[in-house]
Amino acid sequence: TFADKYKKKYTLSKDDTEINDVTSMAGVNLNEEAAKISTLDNVSTEQRSTHDVSFVQTESLSNKISRLCERHSVSSCNGDVKQLLSHALEARMRNLVEKLVSINHHRLE
């Protein structure tokens, strides 16, 4: 079981005194934590949804894509193109905002 594997792998030895010192100063008892973990019968296997949430308004993005497709003589674009562009825009905007925050911090220093 998971608990048996955990006990074998993470039993404390005499060489762990430094770790014990640090964790005790932080208020953590490793023996207590190991005991709590070993009482678990099974590990949670919760799966989370990976539902795509569009970063931009889908209607305006669809309109813009349609105009670009017409301009470049492309017959149609599927939903994957919209999601890809939305994710790319989100990544680009996040990058720009991070750079602006960094510049702002440097100005204030």
Side-chain angles (χ1 to χ4, degrees), residues 17-72:
T17 55
E18 290 180 11
I19 294 173
N20 284 335
D21 291 343
V22 171
T23 56
S24 65
M25 289 192 316
V28 176
N29 184 342
L30 289 180
N31 292 326
E32 228 175 74
E33 295 298 324
K36 286 179 186 176
I37 291 173
S38 67
T39 59
L40 297 175
D41 290 331
N42 58 10
V43 178
S44 173
T45 57
E46 178 183 336
Q47 293 182 353
R48 296 184 182 199
S49 173
T50 56
H51 176 55
D52 263 341
V53 177
S54 185
F55 179 69
V56 295
Q57 293 178 354
T58 54
E59 187 176 328
S60 58
L61 181 62
S62 294
N63 292 338
K64 183 69 173 176
I65 290 173
S66 296
R67 285 190 301 240
L68 288 171
C69 286
E70 287 174 12
R71 185 183 313 156
H72 296 286

Side-chain angles (χ1 to χ4, degrees), residues 52-58 61 82-83 85-94 97:
D52 263 341
V53 177
S54 185
F55 179 69
V56 295
Q57 293 178 354
T58 54
L61 181 62
K82 295 173 191 172
Q83 285 298 325
L85 287 173
S86 177
H87 288 299
L89 178 61
E90 180 180 5
R92 178 69 175 144
M93 292 298 294
R94 182 179 293 122
V97 170

